[in-house]
Amino acid sequence: MSLSRLRAPLAAAAVLVLAAGVVAIARRDGGVTAPPGPGRSSPSATVSAAATPPSGSTVAVDPALLSLYGDRPAHPGGGRGGRLVVAVPGEATTLDPFAVGGDTPAARDLAPLWLPGLYRLGPDGVRTPWLAAADPVVSADGRRVVIRLRPDARWSDGSAVTSADVAATWRRAASRPGPWRPAYSVLAGVETPDATTAVLVLRTPSTGGARLFVAPTGVLPAARLAALGAKPYDLRVTGGPFVAAGRTAGLETVWRRTPQPWPGSDPLLDEVRAQVVPDFSTAVELLRAGRVDAVLPYDAVNAAGRLRSVDGAEVAAERGRHSVTVLTMRTTGGPLADVRVRRALALALDRPAFAEGLVREAGSGADGIRHGESAGAPYRRFRPDVAAARRLLADAGWQDRGDRPRTKRGAELTLVLASPAPADLYDVLARGMQVQLRRIGVQIDLAGADANKAAELARTGRADLALTRWDTDVVPDLARLLGSAAAAPDGAGWPRWSDAAADSALRAATAAPTLAQVDAALDGVDRRLVDQVPLLPLLRLDAVVAAAAGVRIPVPVSGYGGPFVDVDRWSRG
């Protein structure tokens, strides 16, 4: 673990102004086709009792449902020109990254189509300049980061991208009650000595400044922001490889080549259609029927195996850039305000069985939250132990009633679980949790919702638990999870959790002068998380993409890179 990886979200995450995340870059192999991975054992009885995960065989889908998606348009051959139709799992409620609701998987995934960042991740995981002309230069005291902009970068209206755009984007993000405002607070300002130089002034030193800037939060044009005022960004002026050309609510967004291409945003394709196909089985059948050219990453049971059932499809899964499915607990009220109840749930859930039965070859169990996980894998202490879980609930005053939910002072131990829907992985996982927790006298009621609504239900107290996906990519996830999920910035839909000891350890990590001291401080945060259990990692998922023969799509980068991060290099045969 490098010092810069730890300090990115702690000391300078706000430079998401330009970049949306902070990373320590490790070179990885790219490519489009991956060989089948090793098989995994069958799910345990507790999983199969809840539902039978779909296999790699063909799943029958109603032809009327397929007919909702038009025939795939004809494409010319060769490496330049033509269109691609891709299936995506969700629709973005807003594409304004700085609006409430703008920090969602769907919005982040689409951002690289239109929103340029100073830097971005390639399919090999390497950070490369985008709007920037070169790597940033960090001052000796770590408080100033100098960015040189490309003089040839253009907005879609033909105007030049300048340092004024960087400064205006920072002011917008820092002044709005959206998900990024707390992150931007580490910037004291953005200086603009000339049109192609932006100087980021940090409130606290960051020796990792040279690795802080990765798309896609990106930069917006100052002139358009001034015209819009407080209104959400409308995408009339964009700076990425594509411009928005149309949207059919609930079905698709259409993106066409920018009229002002510049190196780094000069796409090979003329058009990309992102069709919203919430059901993974339908997406697989659309690929099989030739109605779509590619299926981008889904949270689905045995996703890689099911995609490989499509003749001619090239399937790739990138291990190391992935997401973690986390069970987030509402600690501010209800039964889960008692840490003993939270620990009982963690001990009762057979998380290894879920991993083996559901994600199979393209994922694993999750025993930690930090990228790469520390050697201790702190959540391993919660191995399935039903007897210990029962003792904790009894000690907390919840009386056992056999097959019925436990009671305490006349109230039943019933918890509401908000589960993102539709996603067959979460559906099976939620029902498996119902079965497993019933063994200790806990009843789980399901509240289906999309990912945003699930988190909102938990934040407002209308749900006790929420299944949420945390994209881990190449970011130091523990600090970011605490900063955004557990400590809930204004306007975000995440459940809140506050712990003085963890906050103190995070501050120590921010100020630590040596790598050993940073690690020691973050180990302290690990211990507080496991001790208090405001969240529990359940599954680790690799990003999986499938493409029809002749379609070139680099291996996806999940999370803040997103499947569209290298979209300017997509092509047909």
Side-chain angles (χ1 to χ4, degrees):
M1 185 187 308
S2 70
L3 186 62
S4 62
R5 283 172 59 182
L6 297 171
R7 288 188 170 168
L10 298 174
V15 290
L16 299 170
V17 154
L18 327 166
V22 284
V23 304
I25 303 300
R27 181 174 296 276
R28 305 183 192 280
D29 293 334
V32 71
T33 306
R40 293 187 178 271
S41 59
S42 60
S44 73
T46 54
V47 176
S48 58
T52 302
S55 68
S57 60
T58 301
V59 178
V61 176
D62 186 346
L65 183 58
L66 294 180
S67 69
L68 291 175
Y69 303 92
D71 290 335
R72 186 177 67 196
H75 302 279
R80 181 174 283 276
R83 295 177 286 180
L84 287 185
V85 180
V86 298
V88 297
E91 182 178 25
T93 55
T94 177
L95 290 177
D96 183 344
F98 305 118
V100 174
D103 182 30
T104 64
R108 293 197 301 265
D109 284 352
L110 291 172
L113 287 158
W114 67 274
L115 180 59
L118 293 184
Y119 301 89
R120 63 175 173 178
L121 288 177
D124 55 2
V126 175
R127 176 185 56 81
T128 57
W130 192 359
L131 283 174
D135 286 337
V137 177
V138 184
S139 63
D141 63 3
R143 290 181 178 272
R144 297 169 67 82
V145 181
V146 179
I147 309 290
R148 303 291 182 185
L149 301 178
R150 297 183 62 107
D152 55 358
R154 292 289 181 270
W155 298 111
S156 59
D157 63 0
S159 60
V161 179
T162 71
S163 58
D165 300 317
V166 177
T169 304
W170 167 69
R171 287 193 297 270
R172 183 176 181 85
S175 65
R176 292 168 65 86
W180 300 114
R181 184 166 67 181
Y184 281 89
S185 66
V186 304
L187 279 183
V190 176
E191 297 175 356
T192 57
D194 58 59
T196 58
T197 305
V199 181
L200 309 181
V201 183
L202 303 176
R203 295 185 187 278
T204 57
S206 173
T207 58
R211 295 184 180 272
L212 297 181
F213 313 105
V214 181
T217 303
V219 179
L220 294 172
R224 189 63 195 156
L225 291 178
L228 287 169
K231 296 178 181 177
Y233 197 74
D234 58 7
L235 275 70
R236 289 190 182 180
V237 179
T238 61
F242 293 89
V243 295
R247 175 177 179 266
T248 302
L251 183 61
E252 70 175 5
T253 53
V254 180
W255 304 86
R256 292 186 184 143
R257 172 193 296 276
T258 179
Q260 299 291 336
W262 50 277
S265 279
D266 184 9
L268 297 176
L269 294 169
D270 293 328
E271 181 176 293
V272 173
R273 289 177 177 259
Q275 291 196 338
V276 180
V277 187
D279 176 67
F280 180 68
S281 295
T282 301
V284 173
E285 292 311 302
L286 287 169
L287 182 64
R288 192 188 311 278
R291 301 286 185 88
V292 299
D293 296 294
V295 176
L296 299 190
Y298 277 69
D299 293 332
V301 176
N302 191 26
R306 291 157 71 184
L307 287 167
R308 287 199 181 94
S309 71
V310 179
D311 290 341
E314 296 182 338
V315 181
E318 177 71 2
R319 296 184 183 277
R321 287 190 286 276
H322 48 246
S323 66
V324 173
T325 296
V326 177
L327 180 65
T328 308
M329 305 187 192
R330 183 172 69 94
T331 63
T332 55
L336 293 177
D338 189 329
V339 67
R340 293 170 294 185
V341 178
R342 302 198 298 271
R343 291 174 182 163
L345 266 59
L347 287 168
L349 292 174
D350 190 348
R351 296 180 296 136
F354 287 139
E356 291 187 358
L358 301 183
V359 299
R360 304 189 188 178
E361 66 181 84
S364 63
D367 277 317
I369 299 170
R370 268 196 271 175
H371 178 67
E373 298 188 7
S374 59
Y379 283 91
R380 284 181 185 167
R381 86 180 235 189
F382 292 121
R383 286 297 169 221
D385 191 335
V386 173
R390 286 178 169 274
R391 289 194 296 270
L392 279 169
L393 291 179
D395 184 55
W398 291 97
Q399 298 179 355
D400 190 359
R401 296 196 301 162
D403 292 336
R404 301 179 64 188
R406 290 174 179 261
T407 60
K408 182 177 181 179
R409 293 193 289 271
E412 288 191 341
L413 186 47
T414 299
L415 304 174
V416 176
L417 170 65
S419 175
D424 63 31
L425 176 68
Y426 294 136
D427 182 59
V428 178
L429 180 58
R431 296 184 187 282
M433 289 173 58
Q434 282 182 314
V435 173
Q436 292 184 352
L437 294 179
R438 194 176 300 146
R439 300 177 300 182
I440 64 171
V442 177
Q443 177 173 310
I444 297 294
D445 290 344
L446 301 181
D450 61 22
N452 299 332
K453 188 63 175 178
E456 176 67 15
L457 288 173
R459 187 183 71 83
T460 58
R462 287 174 287 168
D464 303 285
L465 302 161
L467 287 173
T468 56
R469 166 181 169 170
W470 196 258
D471 294 312
T472 64
D473 254 22
V474 285
V475 302
D477 309 293
L478 175 63
R480 187 166 162 266
L481 186 61
L482 280 172
S484 295
D490 292 343
W494 299 98
R496 292 180 180 273
W497 178 66
S498 179
D499 181 85
D503 290 343
S504 176
L506 281 174
R507 286 194 296 272
T510 301
T514 69
L515 178 62
Q517 290 170 320
V518 170
D519 277 335
L522 288 185
D523 284 344
V525 182
D526 273 332
R527 289 192 295 273
R528 292 303 297 175
L529 277 175
V530 176
D531 183 57
Q532 296 298 314
V533 206
L535 47 88
L536 183 69
L538 299 176
L539 303 170
R540 190 176 298 276
L541 300 173
D542 300 324
V544 178
V545 66
V551 172
R552 170 66 185 177
I553 296 179
V555 171
V557 179
S558 64
Y560 281 96
F564 290 102
V565 71
D566 215 38
V567 68
D568 57 302
R569 300 180 192 175
W570 291 13
S571 66
R572 299 188 60 85

